[in-house]
Amino acid sequence: MSITSKRFAAVVVGLGMVGLSACGSSDTDQASGGGSKTVTLVSHNSWAVSKDVLAAFEKESGYQVKVLEDGDAGQAVNKAILTKDNPQGDVFFGVDNTLLSRALDNGLFQSYEAKGSDLILPEYRVDQEKHRVTPVDTGDICVNYDKAYFSEHKLTPPESLDDLIEPQYKDLLVTENASTSSPGLGFLLGTAAKYGDEGWQDYWKKLKANGVKVVDGWEQAYNEEFSGSAGGRKAGADRPLVVSYASSPPAEVIYADPRPETAPTGVATGTCFRQVEYAGLLSNAKNPEGGKALLDFLLTKKFQDDMPLNMFVYPVREGAQVPEEFVKYGPQAKDPQTMDPAKIADNRDDWVKSWTSLVLK
């Protein structure tokens, strides 16, 4: 799940959660052609877009966008599956490569090839025969570290997954529950990609013995437990290592007042797992034409250029702009762990059950 401006603004600026404008006319409002003027986007709680960019789409398309946010990515996907026969909206955004097979196998989406799909970078394209989902963004789930802690303790920050089980890092790492959190699941899959179908369990036994702490979700891990975040520093957090995103350090800089010259946090680049997020036209959508227009919008250069500093993710469209802050403070990992969606589909549920039994009991 993306790291959004709403989360960091809430913690760093102290203004609370920033609501997204995006509610237009009611669903009963009719366009001249007899269809609804309102198109509804269902998402996890990390969706964000600049008001002027959204307003331009609404003006050009004639549709008004209503957004329904529904918790963490896993929670949102599960609810969307349960309500697929009478969906809450027209488009779902935020299913990632760790959960994609669950959505596709349950018939969550109908086919639609969005305009601009030919401009998506090839490494992010999936489901090319049926076009049930459209890639929208990508990012790296990585261990972040608190620079001040490691400097004060004259300790070299970890660089790899292997480092995390070394005794000098005992009781320093906090991660999210793999059964309830998208970054937690991504971190688990990263270890499976690194150590293999059997070896990842031995790795987690060592990580558990080395004092890893597990909490329910990213909000708690990053903003309450991690000593390097603005929220964690304020709360007196004592874990200088956290599973988060490669884009977390630039977010810490951008939302600090005044802005520091360097990011207070860093990324252990040898711990990263590549995450890709998708959107799709929901089966039984009440306004499929509006949903198609919205999917087209998500691939426009205007949206893809706007997205990084709103959701702290990287664009997937060729030629889209990457903010200078990302290049300086949160570049993508050069060699992240990845896994074929089919392998995730075949193993995810069993791995999560094994992980739960091994780590939480």
Side-chain angles (χ1 to χ4, degrees), residues 325-355:
E325 294 92 341
F326 276 36
V327 176
K328 185 174 182 180
Y329 302 115
Q332 287 185 296
K334 293 181 179 179
D335 190 25
Q337 298 295 332
T338 59
M339 187 175 291
D340 187 283
K343 184 168 185 177
I344 295 175
D346 290 341
N347 294 281
R348 179 190 56 236
D349 293 345
D350 287 340
W351 283 348
V352 169
K353 289 178 182 178
S354 297
W355 179 91

Coordinates of all heavy atoms in Angstrom, one line a residue, residues 325-355:
E325 N 13.1 15.0 -5.4 CA 13.3 14.4 -4.0 C 13.4 12.9 -4.0 O 14.1 12.3 -3.1 CB 12.1 14.9 -3.1 CG 12.0 16.4 -2.9 CD 11.2 17.1 -3.9 OE1 10.9 16.5 -5.0 OE2 10.7 18.2 -3.6
F326 N 12.7 12.3 -4.9 CA 12.8 10.8 -5.0 C 14.1 10.4 -5.4 O 14.7 9.4 -4.9 CB 11.7 10.3 -6.0 CG 10.3 10.1 -5.4 CD1 9.8 11.0 -4.5 CD2 9.6 9.0 -5.8 CE1 8.6 10.8 -3.9 CE2 8.3 8.8 -5.3 CZ 7.8 9.7 -4.4
V327 N 14.7 11.1 -6.4 CA 16.0 10.7 -6.9 C 17.0 10.9 -5.9 O 18.0 10.1 -5.7 CB 16.3 11.6 -8.2 CG1 17.7 11.3 -8.7 CG2 15.3 11.3 -9.3
K328 N 16.9 12.0 -5.1 CA 17.9 12.3 -4.0 C 17.8 11.5 -2.8 O 18.8 11.0 -2.2 CB 17.8 13.8 -3.7 CG 18.9 14.3 -2.7 CD 18.8 15.8 -2.6 CE 19.9 16.3 -1.6 NZ 19.8 17.8 -1.5
Y329 N 16.5 11.3 -2.3 CA 16.3 10.6 -1.0 C 15.7 9.2 -1.0 O 15.9 8.5 -0.1 CB 15.4 11.5 -0.1 CG 15.9 12.9 0.1 CD1 15.2 14.0 -0.4 CD2 17.1 13.2 0.8 CE1 15.6 15.3 -0.2 CE2 17.5 14.5 1.0 CZ 16.8 15.5 0.5 OH 17.3 16.8 0.6
G330 N 15.1 8.9 -2.1 CA 14.4 7.6 -2.2 C 14.4 6.9 -3.5 O 13.4 6.5 -4.0
P331 N 15.6 6.7 -4.1 CA 15.7 6.0 -5.4 C 15.2 4.6 -5.3 O 15.3 3.9 -4.3 CB 17.1 6.1 -5.8 CG 17.9 6.2 -4.5 CD 17.0 7.0 -3.6
Q332 N 14.6 4.1 -6.4 CA 14.2 2.7 -6.5 C 15.4 1.8 -6.3 O 16.5 2.1 -6.7 CB 13.5 2.4 -7.8 CG 12.1 3.0 -7.9 CD 11.4 2.5 -9.1 OE1 11.8 2.9 -10.2 NE2 10.3 1.8 -9.0
A333 N 15.2 0.6 -5.7 CA 16.3 -0.4 -5.5 C 16.7 -0.9 -6.9 O 15.9 -1.1 -7.8 CB 15.8 -1.5 -4.7
K334 N 18.0 -1.0 -7.1 CA 18.5 -1.5 -8.3 C 18.3 -3.0 -8.6 O 18.1 -3.4 -9.7 CB 20.1 -1.2 -8.4 CG 20.4 0.3 -8.4 CD 21.9 0.5 -8.5 CE 22.2 1.9 -8.6 NZ 23.7 2.2 -8.6
D335 N 18.2 -3.8 -7.5 CA 18.0 -5.2 -7.7 C 17.0 -5.7 -6.6 O 17.4 -6.5 -5.7 CB 19.3 -5.9 -7.6 CG 19.2 -7.4 -8.0 OD1 18.3 -7.7 -8.7 OD2 20.1 -8.2 -7.5
P336 N 15.8 -5.3 -6.6 CA 14.8 -5.7 -5.6 C 14.4 -7.2 -5.8 O 14.5 -7.7 -6.9 CB 13.6 -4.8 -5.8 CG 13.6 -4.6 -7.3 CD 15.1 -4.5 -7.7
Q337 N 14.0 -7.8 -4.7 CA 13.4 -9.1 -4.8 C 12.0 -9.0 -5.6 O 11.3 -8.0 -5.4 CB 13.1 -9.7 -3.5 CG 14.4 -10.0 -2.6 CD 15.3 -11.0 -3.3 OE1 14.9 -11.9 -4.0 NE2 16.6 -10.8 -3.0
T338 N 11.7 -9.9 -6.4 CA 10.5 -10.0 -7.2 C 10.0 -11.4 -7.1 O 10.7 -12.3 -6.8 CB 10.6 -9.5 -8.6 OG1 11.6 -10.3 -9.3 CG2 11.1 -8.1 -8.7
M339 N 8.7 -11.6 -7.5 CA 8.1 -12.9 -7.6 C 7.0 -12.9 -8.6 O 6.2 -12.0 -8.6 CB 7.6 -13.4 -6.2 CG 7.2 -14.8 -6.2 SD 6.7 -15.4 -4.5 CE 8.3 -15.4 -3.6
D340 N 7.0 -14.0 -9.4 CA 5.9 -14.1 -10.4 C 4.6 -14.2 -9.7 O 4.4 -14.9 -8.7 CB 6.2 -15.4 -11.2 CG 5.2 -15.5 -12.4 OD1 4.0 -15.9 -12.1 OD2 5.6 -15.3 -13.5
P341 N 3.6 -13.4 -10.2 CA 2.2 -13.5 -9.6 C 1.7 -14.9 -9.5 O 0.9 -15.2 -8.5 CB 1.4 -12.6 -10.5 CG 2.4 -11.6 -11.1 CD 3.6 -12.4 -11.3
A342 N 2.0 -15.7 -10.4 CA 1.5 -17.1 -10.4 C 2.0 -17.9 -9.2 O 1.3 -18.6 -8.5 CB 1.8 -17.8 -11.7
K343 N 3.3 -17.6 -8.9 CA 3.9 -18.3 -7.7 C 3.3 -17.7 -6.4 O 3.1 -18.5 -5.5 CB 5.4 -18.1 -7.7 CG 6.1 -18.9 -6.6 CD 7.6 -18.9 -6.7 CE 8.2 -19.8 -5.6 NZ 9.7 -20.0 -5.8
I344 N 3.1 -16.4 -6.4 CA 2.4 -15.9 -5.2 C 1.0 -16.5 -5.0 O 0.7 -16.9 -3.9 CB 2.3 -14.3 -5.4 CG1 3.6 -13.7 -5.4 CG2 1.4 -13.7 -4.2 CD1 3.6 -12.2 -5.7
A345 N 0.3 -16.6 -6.1 CA -1.0 -17.2 -6.1 C -1.0 -18.7 -5.5 O -1.8 -19.1 -4.7 CB -1.7 -17.2 -7.4
D346 N 0.0 -19.4 -6.0 CA 0.1 -20.8 -5.5 C 0.5 -21.0 -4.1 O 0.2 -22.0 -3.5 CB 1.1 -21.6 -6.4 CG 0.6 -21.8 -7.9 OD1 -0.6 -21.7 -8.1 OD2 1.5 -22.0 -8.8
N347 N 1.2 -20.0 -3.5 CA 1.8 -20.2 -2.2 C 1.4 -19.3 -1.1 O 1.6 -19.5 0.0 CB 3.4 -20.1 -2.4 CG 4.0 -21.3 -3.2 OD1 4.1 -22.4 -2.7 ND2 4.3 -21.0 -4.5
R348 N 0.9 -18.1 -1.5 CA 0.6 -17.1 -0.5 C -0.1 -17.5 0.7 O 0.3 -17.3 1.8 CB -0.1 -15.9 -1.2 CG -0.4 -14.7 -0.3 CD -1.4 -13.7 -0.9 NE -2.6 -14.4 -1.3 CZ -3.1 -14.4 -2.6 NH1 -2.4 -13.7 -3.5 NH2 -4.2 -15.0 -2.9
D349 N -1.3 -18.1 0.5 CA -2.1 -18.5 1.7 C -1.4 -19.5 2.6 O -1.4 -19.4 3.8 CB -3.4 -19.0 1.3 CG -4.3 -18.0 0.6 OD1 -4.0 -16.8 0.7 OD2 -5.3 -18.3 -0.1
D350 N -0.7 -20.5 2.0 CA 0.0 -21.4 2.8 C 1.2 -20.8 3.5 O 1.5 -21.1 4.7 CB 0.5 -22.6 1.9 CG -0.6 -23.5 1.5 OD1 -1.7 -23.5 2.1 OD2 -0.4 -24.2 0.5
W351 N 1.9 -19.9 2.8 CA 3.0 -19.2 3.5 C 2.6 -18.4 4.6 O 3.2 -18.3 5.7 CB 3.8 -18.4 2.4 CG 4.6 -19.2 1.5 CD1 5.0 -20.5 1.7 CD2 5.2 -18.7 0.3 NE1 5.8 -20.9 0.6 CE2 6.0 -19.8 -0.2 CE3 5.2 -17.5 -0.4 CZ2 6.7 -19.7 -1.4 CZ3 6.0 -17.4 -1.6 CH2 6.7 -18.5 -2.1
V352 N 1.5 -17.7 4.4 CA 1.0 -16.8 5.5 C 0.6 -17.6 6.7 O 0.8 -17.3 7.9 CB -0.2 -15.9 5.0 CG1 -0.9 -15.2 6.2 CG2 0.3 -14.9 4.0
K353 N -0.1 -18.8 6.5 CA -0.4 -19.7 7.6 C 0.8 -20.2 8.3 O 0.9 -20.2 9.6 CB -1.3 -20.8 7.1 CG -2.7 -20.5 6.7 CD -3.4 -21.7 6.1 CE -4.8 -21.4 5.6 NZ -5.5 -22.6 5.1
S354 N 1.8 -20.6 7.6 CA 3.0 -21.0 8.2 C 3.8 -19.9 8.9 O 4.3 -20.1 10.0 CB 4.0 -21.6 7.1 OG 3.4 -22.7 6.5
W355 N 3.8 -18.7 8.3 CA 4.4 -17.6 9.0 C 3.7 -17.3 10.3 O 4.3 -17.0 11.3 CB 4.4 -16.4 8.0 CG 4.9 -15.1 8.6 CD1 6.2 -14.7 8.5 CD2 4.3 -14.1 9.4 NE1 6.4 -13.5 9.2 CE2 5.2 -13.1 9.7 CE3 2.9 -14.0 9.8 CZ2 4.9 -12.0 10.5 CZ3 2.6 -12.9 10.6 CH2 3.6 -11.9 10.9

